[in-house]
Amino acid sequence: MAVDRKRLAEQLRLYLICGEGDTPDEVLRKTAAALEGGVTAVQLRVKSWTGRECYNTALALKDLCHARGAALLVNDRLDIALAAGADGVHLGQKDLPVGAARQIAGPDFIIGGTARTPELAREAQRLGADYIGCGAAFGTATKDDAVVIGPEGIKEVLAAVEIPSVAIGGIGLANVSRLAGCGCSGISLSGAVMRAADPRETAKALMREIDKSLGY
């Protein structure tokens, strides 16, 4: 059975990326608060942890997410995503190719691809991606190699595909409204929530802004 893309689009509404710069305990504490505030999907993304730390944290995050009806994805590490029983994996341009991941994971496992051009988006869709992460929408300190394409660039990329999508890169409360009309199913962010004094209240405020700006 293939991934239900209508349901997936709803789960992408407020997509939190967590992990980098925090300890496993901090990730769990902050993410739990953000889920209470309305986060609909969580991606564990860490390059500096051990495989065991990633696996154990993914297991705990899965329970937190599923208790709130949210999806859990793991960045890059398909092995950990499958072993922990996560809902999916997100793959960048330098990670395992989407097509190879699909062959391993099967049809009912969520696979996200990354694209900043229409050509890359079409290729990800052709190879079996269920959604596209598109950006960078704005300047971001989270990824030093991000190329800013802006809301208009995101609109152009997403017009090339028919699968759900999230805008990513430098997004926060102050600029969500600038993404109105770009065609994304939701927004993906990290620092705006994970570095907030109150992740729960920040997530609530972001959900209100998403509802207003993206037409929910």
Side-chain angles (χ1 to χ4, degrees):
M1 182 182 296
V3 171
D4 183 341
R5 288 180 178 169
K6 182 177 179 181
R7 181 168 183 267
L8 176 59
E10 295 170 353
Q11 289 180 306
L12 295 176
R13 191 171 168 191
L14 180 52
Y15 184 159
L16 176 66
I17 300 174
C18 66
E20 211 62 71
D22 286 320
T23 66
D25 285 345
E26 288 170 336
V27 166
L28 295 177
R29 174 176 56 80
K30 294 177 183 180
T31 303
L35 286 162
E36 290 176 5
V39 161
T40 55
V42 172
Q43 179 192 132
L44 177 63
R45 180 185 185 275
V46 276
K47 305 296 184 181
S48 57
W49 292 4
T50 65
R52 183 161 298 190
E53 285 175 321
C54 291
Y55 171 70
N56 288 337
T57 305
L59 281 176
L61 283 173
K62 179 182 68 174
D63 290 341
L64 290 174
C65 288
H66 289 181
R68 293 277 175 179
L72 173 67
L73 296 96
V74 178
N75 181 276
D76 181 16
R77 296 293 302 269
L78 177 61
D79 56 339
I80 288 174
L82 290 171
D87 299 289
V89 67
H90 184 85
L91 301 169
Q93 291 296 322
K94 298 178 182 179
D95 298 332
L96 183 71
V98 168
R102 180 59 73 199
Q103 288 183 335
I104 295 167
D108 59 350
F109 192 73
I110 299 169
I111 297 178
T114 303
R116 64 170 181 260
T117 68
E119 293 75 21
L120 289 173
R122 281 191 288 264
E123 179 70 356
Q125 179 176 266
R126 185 186 69 79
L127 292 174
D130 295 299
Y131 77 90
I132 295 292
C134 185
F138 311 106
T140 174
T142 304
K143 294 188 71 175
D144 55 14
D145 60 346
V147 176
V148 177
I149 62 173
E152 285 303 313
I154 289 174
K155 183 176 181 179
E156 180 182 357
V157 172
L158 299 186
V161 294
E162 299 173 347
I163 54 179
S165 59
V166 287
I168 187 169
I171 301 171
L173 272 172
N175 56 22
V176 173
S177 62
R178 292 177 58 191
L179 296 168
C182 74
C184 61
S185 308
I187 63 169
S188 182
L189 43 71
S190 178
V193 172
M194 296 301 285
R195 300 290 166 258
D198 190 334
R200 179 176 178 271
E201 290 305 313
T202 300
K204 279 186 173 183
L206 283 162
M207 285 296 282
R208 289 193 294 269
E209 193 62 38
I210 289 168
D211 288 347
K212 182 171 64 175
S213 300
L214 300 188
Y216 279 94

